[in-house]
């Protein structure tokens, strides 16, 4: 017999079904509770709420496990590359040789932007925040590809997916070139996904960019490590928007906006800002730790802590190693990396962090790699967005294809004034 939960409300007992996931995660299904009892559940910030069933990514935050479609992140990072990982995340299986070739070809076919879209960049001020440009440009894809509003055939979904994956990288690189006043660089046919991104970012007519395999690999790894992370803020946003049957482009553009915040994708930028500040002021590690512990300072160690990981972030481990490799290969010594390592060591030993289960997250080291590659600070979150694209698309697809699909519409506990007349309210004005 399947497990159930019992709840007593106003002296009356209700039996609730228990939903069990494939990794034995358990949840009490309260979807009928309000209809039966008049009660809703309250979970501010959704920290204990399963908002959906999903086949895409599994995380066990206590054990530090992250798997894409069942495959451990360390194995994906070691054996796959970004486009293949994207395919795995979106379609739930690794592509065979033919599928791989077809998908690569489709990405190449769609990597250019419509010429009119290119003109949009001129309308933004050069100092425009790249995440604002990215979100606006992805949303504007809805205007150029309106035949993909209603995606009911698999071919249409594949076309929309290829357009997004291919163009997000072009948009990012073009916006960077616009911001520094250099001519845009078009994608080159002979280059793979990550090579092409670096090429469009850094090649210039008077200064050809030479691709370094180690740097290309680090770039690809960054994309892979960010490719999905189950129901985080931006992915939940994409699902929420998609649940209203909004098209894929506009749903994903909303995800970009959600990612922008410094408690989410913006953290990688904040980490570097923090490390740079420590370096410039010459703060000792002890001073920094003391400041974090001082509640009045409101200072948080950026790149530390995670809503889900209460052991370690498996991505942080992989990225830390990659960081060392890239800096070694490029023959660079980065004082910020030294500060980061010292800070990590001090925090891991400190009871404040130990008690609160605060460990370095993926953002703690990703900024240092990006800095070594030459990516400017204000583009860090854009890199995260390019990487996260497969996860957003896969989650949108799940919502779109679900036979039980209904619009996402949480409830609330109203805490505002009780009924009053307009005249009463006027008197209080
Ligand atoms: N530095 C110092 N103290 C922290 C930190 C931190 N980075 N993170 C949490 N804490 C403390 C809080 O002050 C709180 O302490 P208290 O119990 O004494 O009040 C306790 O740990 C729990 O913190 P919450 O804010 O409840 O944890 P939550 O799960 O809501 O937050 C978050 C998770 C937002 C990631 C948080 O740890 C944080 O702000 N980290 C810094 C920003 C960051 O690195 N974000 C990237 C997340 S990963 C990603 O998006 C890819």
């Amino acid at each position: 017999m399947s497990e159930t939960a019992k709840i007593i409300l106003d002296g009356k007992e209700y039996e609730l079904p228990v939903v069990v996931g494939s990794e034995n995660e358990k949840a009490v299904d309260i979807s009928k509770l309000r209809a039966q009892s008049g009660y809703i559940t309250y979970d501010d910030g959704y920290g204990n709420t399963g908002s959906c069933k999903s086949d895409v990514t599994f995380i066990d935050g206590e054990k530090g496990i992250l798997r894409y479609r069942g495959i451990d992140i360390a194995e994906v990072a070691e054996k796959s590359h970004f486009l293949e990982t994207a395919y795995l995340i979106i379609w739930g299986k690794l592509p065979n040789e033919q599928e791989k070739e077809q998908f690569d070809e489709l990405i190449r076919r769609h990597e250019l932007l419509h010429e009119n879209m290119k003109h949009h960049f001129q309308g933004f001020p050069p100092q425009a925040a790249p995440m604002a440009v990215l979100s606006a440009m992805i949303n504007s894809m809805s205007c150029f590809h309106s035949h993909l509003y209603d995606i009911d055939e698999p071919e249409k979904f594949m076309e929309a997916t290829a357009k997004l994956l291919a163009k997000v990288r072009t948009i990012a690189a073009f916006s960077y070139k616009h911001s520094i006043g250099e001519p845009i660089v078009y994608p080159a046919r002979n280059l793979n996904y990550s090579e092409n991104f670096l090429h469009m970012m850094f090649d210039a007519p008077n200064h050809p960019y030479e691709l370094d395999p180690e740097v290309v690999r680090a770039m690809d790894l960054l994309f892979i490590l960010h490719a999905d992370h189950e129901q985080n803020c931006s992915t939940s946003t994409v699902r929420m928007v998609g649940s209203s049957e909004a098209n894929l482009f506009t749903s994903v553009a909303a995800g970009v906006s959600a990612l922008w915040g410094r408690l989410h994708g913006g953290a990688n930028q904040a980490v570097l800002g923090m490390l740079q500040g420590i370096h410039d002021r010459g703060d000792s590690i002890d001073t920094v730790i003391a400041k974090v512990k001082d509640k009045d300072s409101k200072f948080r160690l950026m790149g530390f802590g995670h809503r889900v990981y209460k052991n370690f972030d498996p991505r942080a481990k992989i990225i830390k190693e990659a960081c060392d490799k890239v800096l070694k290969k490029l023959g660079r010594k980065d004082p910020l990396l030294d500060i980061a390592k010292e800070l990590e060591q001090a925090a891991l030993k400190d009871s404040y962090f130990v008690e609160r289960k605060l460990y370095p997250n993926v953002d703690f080291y990703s900024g240092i790699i990006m800095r070594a590659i030459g990516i400017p600070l204000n583009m860090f979150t854009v890199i995260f967005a390019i990487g996260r694209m497969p996860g957003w698309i896969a989650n949108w697809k799940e919502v779109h294809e679900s036979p039980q699909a209904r619009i996402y519409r949480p409830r609330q506990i109203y805490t505002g004034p009780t009924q009053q007349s307009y005249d009463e309210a006027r008197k209080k004005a």
Side-chain angles (χ1 to χ4, degrees):
M1 218 177 90
S2 45
E3 194 181 344
T4 55
K6 284 185 180 141
I7 185 169
I8 299 168
L9 299 165
D10 284 339
K12 198 171 166 207
E13 187 177 281
Y14 300 89
E15 196 160 335
L16 303 167
V18 168
V19 181
V20 185
S22 54
E23 289 285 350
N24 211 27
E25 284 180 305
K26 292 182 179 173
V28 179
D29 178 351
I30 52 92
S31 53
K32 305 264 184 316
L33 183 64
R34 185 172 179 276
Q36 290 168 352
S37 67
Y39 281 73
I40 60 168
T41 54
Y42 175 66
D43 180 19
D44 202 0
Y46 311 130
N48 198 45
T49 294
S51 62
C52 60
K53 289 181 190 165
S54 175
D55 296 347
V56 184
T57 288
F58 172 69
I59 298 178
D60 183 330
E62 271 68 35
K63 295 193 184 127
I65 294 174
L66 165 62
R67 295 185 199 130
Y68 295 158
R69 300 286 185 178
I71 309 176
D72 192 83
I73 185 64
E75 211 183 346
V76 179
E78 186 198 330
K79 298 182 180 160
S80 189
H81 58 82
F82 179 62
L83 270 194
E84 187 190 61
T85 304
Y87 194 103
L88 169 74
I89 287 176
I90 297 168
W91 282 281
K93 68 180 268 295
L94 285 168
N96 60 32
E97 278 313 308
Q98 196 194 358
E99 288 164 338
K100 209 179 295 232
E101 260 174 46
Q102 279 171 351
F103 191 47
D104 279 4
E105 187 49 40
L106 209 55
I107 297 285
R108 285 185 207 288
R109 196 184 311 157
H110 292 297
E111 58 198 359
L112 286 177
L113 303 185
H114 191 289
E115 281 296 294
N116 289 355
M117 237 180 125
K118 221 178 67 189
H119 298 312
H120 289 355
F121 290 103
Q122 311 309 324
F124 295 115
Q127 68 280 12
M131 285 297 274
V133 175
L134 189 69
S135 178
M137 292 298 284
I138 291 178
N139 209 7
S140 78
M141 283 173 70
S142 307
C143 312
F144 291 89
H145 312 296
S146 54
H147 68 291
L148 297 172
Y149 280 0
D150 295 316
I151 295 179
D152 291 323
E153 301 96 52
E155 297 74 29
K156 275 192 169 183
F157 174 73
M158 184 164 265
E159 184 186 338
T161 295
K163 280 190 193 309
L164 269 172
L165 289 172
K167 291 182 203 297
V168 64
R169 183 189 49 159
T170 316
I171 293 170
F174 281 15
S175 86
Y176 172 60
K177 286 294 190 188
H178 173 63
S179 74
I180 57 170
E182 279 189 9
I184 54 171
V185 176
Y186 287 101
R189 198 174 160 81
N190 59 327
L191 301 179
N192 70 28
Y193 192 87
S194 295
E195 287 172 342
N196 238 331
F197 176 63
L198 290 164
H199 167 72
M200 288 191 278
M201 283 284 289
F202 300 122
D203 196 59
N206 61 338
H207 192 271
Y209 179 71
E210 274 182 39
L211 289 160
D212 178 325
E214 207 75 58
V215 169
V216 173
R217 178 68 195 135
M219 192 74 251
D220 208 63
L221 190 64
L222 278 172
F223 290 148
I224 290 175
L225 294 180
H226 286 95
D228 192 41
H229 212 236
E230 55 119 296
Q231 301 313 314
N232 54 82
C233 176
S234 57
T235 302
S236 301
T237 301
V238 172
R239 286 187 86 112
M240 171 77 86
V241 177
S243 78
S244 75
E245 297 194 357
N247 72 68
L248 178 59
F249 305 118
T250 207
S251 304
V252 164
V256 174
S257 300
L259 186 71
W260 190 1
R262 54 187 250 130
L263 293 188
H264 191 11
N268 52 21
Q269 206 169 318
V271 171
L272 259 232
M274 176 189 77
L275 294 175
Q276 190 70 55
I278 295 170
H279 177 261
D280 295 349
R281 286 188 303 273
D283 287 347
S284 72
I285 299 298
D286 287 348
T287 311
V288 180
I289 300 282
K291 200 167 153 196
V292 173
K293 290 172 156 179
D294 174 7
K295 283 277 166 204
D296 294 333
S297 77
K298 301 248 182 288
F299 178 73
R300 280 194 170 197
L301 203 53
M302 299 315 287
F304 255 75
H306 199 278
R307 175 57 66 81
V308 178
Y309 293 121
K310 301 299 175 194
N311 183 320
F312 66 92
D313 180 340
R315 302 166 301 173
K317 220 165 123 183
I318 300 169
I319 216 150
K320 187 179 171 186
E321 277 172 26
C323 199
D324 280 331
K325 260 197 211 158
V326 169
L327 289 181
K328 204 166 159 205
K329 174 72 203 300
L330 296 177
R332 297 225 185 110
K333 223 183 127 21
D334 189 338
L336 300 197
L337 179 63
D338 296 337
I339 295 176
K341 283 184 175 168
E342 282 177 53
L343 211 47
E344 181 187 352
Q345 286 314 312
L348 291 179
K349 278 191 269 177
D350 194 288
S351 58
Y352 175 94
F353 293 88
V354 175
E355 279 160 19
R356 289 168 181 76
K357 300 187 175 168
L358 300 170
Y359 293 85
N361 59 49
V362 67
D363 293 317
F364 197 62
Y365 286 105
S366 63
I368 294 172
I369 294 204
M370 288 193 258
R371 187 168 124 111
I373 293 176
I375 291 169
L377 193 61
N378 67 353
M379 288 292 288
F380 283 10
T381 316
V382 171
I383 303 296
F384 189 158
I386 299 174
R388 185 52 55 87
M389 197 53 75
W392 289 333
I393 296 171
N395 275 275
W396 184 93
K397 183 173 186 279
E398 273 194 347
V399 172
H400 191 69
E401 290 176 350
S402 165
Q404 291 95 36
R406 43 199 304 238
I407 191 162
Y408 281 25
R409 204 318 187 168
R411 295 214 171 237
Q412 63 165 14
I413 300 293
Y414 175 67
T415 54
T418 51
Q419 189 176 12
Q420 58 177 336
S421 70
Y422 176 86
D423 291 338
E424 280 166 347
R426 196 85 213 87
K427 274 187 220 150
K428 291 185 212 155

